[in-house]
Amino acid sequence: MKGRIFDIEEFAVYDGPGIRSTVFFKGCPLRCKWCHNPEGLDFSPTRVTKLQLCMHCSACDSVCPSPGKCTGCGACEKACPKGLIRIAGREVEAKDVADQILKNAGLLMQSGGGVTFSGGEALMQTDFLLELNSLLKPLHTAVETSGYASENVFQRAAKEMDLVIMDIKHTDPAVHKEYTGVDNELILKNLSWLMQSMIPFRIRVPLIPGVNDTEENLTSTARLLEGAKALEMIELLPYHTAAGAKYASVRKEYRPGFDTSIRPNAITEPFLLRNMEVHVL
């Protein structure tokens, strides 16, 4: 089984318990205005350039066989005189990815860690995800997901994981659609199923200033999670101003639609009042 990924981060410590290898899957059905991995949005290959060191010599453009649409041929990588270009999005076989990760299996297991599948959105490549997952056992595996997938796909994948890390970006469907491009009906259906299962899960809330960092929204989020059978913790992730720095490097314009100079409110009380473990990362 082949799939498309854009990075493997070794020795990650924020994507689940212990030390982990995080595999970033290419492609995402959402368009969150604060996305910090713009190179992972499209399923097709993406050219990434370190613009701060670029001489603008145009050597890369002169050799490109398909200007305006990267095919991942790598001609630009070879042509850049300073080696400032990489192609994000390579087709790989599940076994090759597993072999690379399993080289560190001893360390990962000793730390109580494992492997996390992230993105993009890993559930967009479910068959590849599940084959890779099977090749990595007995390592602890987790999937980090927006929850925006068909109920069948979500349940099929979640049942094979040791841990699900799911985003809740906003509880209001209209606001959710305004800032992510989709409403949250399907996400909330999948959350409801997950809450009734015995699958361990964590909830992540990316805190965006003026968008979802209000007491009203975070209280609503806490209420949603009441009664969950296997909720481990809630992780609040304050927006970081570095998120927009990548956009120019992939020839995209960053239009967040909110004031990036404001520090978001990390309000933990709604969760603590309901005896939920909460961390600000």
Side-chain angles (χ1 to χ4, degrees), residues 24-277:
F24 292 89
F25 284 56
K26 200 81 160 70
C28 185
L30 276 64
R31 289 297 181 267
C32 302
K33 293 189 176 182
W34 53 83
C35 180
H36 62 282
N37 284 332
E39 72 274 35
L41 291 174
D42 301 320
F43 185 71
S44 57
T46 304
R47 188 171 93 182
V48 183
T49 307
K50 294 180 180 179
L51 291 176
Q52 65 272 26
L53 300 175
C54 180
M55 301 183 298
H56 303 285
C57 65
S58 298
C60 52
D61 291 328
S62 66
V63 298
C64 181
S66 56
K69 183 174 175 59
C70 182
T71 62
C73 71
C76 56
E77 287 182 298
K78 297 174 183 176
C80 179
K82 299 184 72 175
L84 303 178
I85 295 175
R86 70 178 178 91
I87 301 299
R90 54 192 173 98
E91 193 172 70
V92 293
E93 291 198 10
K95 184 180 184 303
D96 292 337
V97 178
D99 287 346
Q100 177 180 339
I101 291 171
L102 289 171
K103 292 177 182 177
N104 295 317
L107 174 62
L108 297 176
M109 294 179 73
Q110 186 178 15
S111 75
V115 182
T116 299
F117 309 113
S118 188
E121 173 56 70
L123 298 189
M124 286 185 71
Q125 301 182 62
T126 315
D127 291 338
F128 174 69
L129 166 67
L130 293 180
E131 179 170 332
L132 177 56
N133 181 72
S134 69
L135 294 172
L136 290 168
K137 293 300 182 181
L139 284 175
H140 179 281
T141 58
V143 63
E144 184 178 0
T145 176
S146 67
Y148 191 78
S150 72
E151 293 172 79
N152 176 62
V153 163
F154 184 86
Q155 293 176 25
R156 183 178 162 217
K159 289 175 181 177
E160 299 301 320
M161 300 294 153
D162 297 303
L163 174 68
V164 175
I165 304 172
M166 185 172 173
D167 288 357
I168 299 297
K169 296 176 172 68
H170 208 291
T171 58
D172 184 278
V175 177
H176 194 282
K177 186 169 185 177
E178 178 183 356
Y179 284 94
T180 72
V182 302
D183 70 30
N184 60 0
E185 181 180 2
L186 187 54
I187 293 169
L188 295 182
K189 282 183 180 179
N190 287 328
L191 174 63
S192 178
W193 175 86
L194 184 61
M195 288 175 57
Q196 296 307 310
S197 78
M198 293 305 296
I199 300 168
F201 74 101
R202 299 181 180 186
I203 291 297
R204 283 190 160 179
V205 182
L207 293 176
I208 311 303
V211 177
N212 68 348
D213 64 336
T214 64
E215 185 168 358
E216 177 186 9
N217 179 63
L218 293 172
T219 298
S220 179
T221 302
R223 285 174 180 158
L224 267 180
L225 298 170
E226 287 184 304
K229 294 180 178 179
L231 173 64
E232 290 188 350
M233 66 182 70
I234 295 93
E235 297 175 332
L236 305 180
L237 285 70
Y239 171 81
H240 196 285
T241 54
K246 288 185 178 179
Y247 283 74
S249 70
V250 296
R251 300 186 175 189
K252 292 181 183 290
E253 186 175 355
Y254 188 52
R255 296 181 178 180
F258 55 89
D259 190 343
T260 60
S261 67
I262 299 175
R263 184 172 180 80
N265 299 307
I267 304 172
T268 59
E269 286 78 5
F271 305 101
L272 295 174
L273 286 172
R274 291 165 175 81
N275 297 314
M276 298 174 183
E277 185 175 341

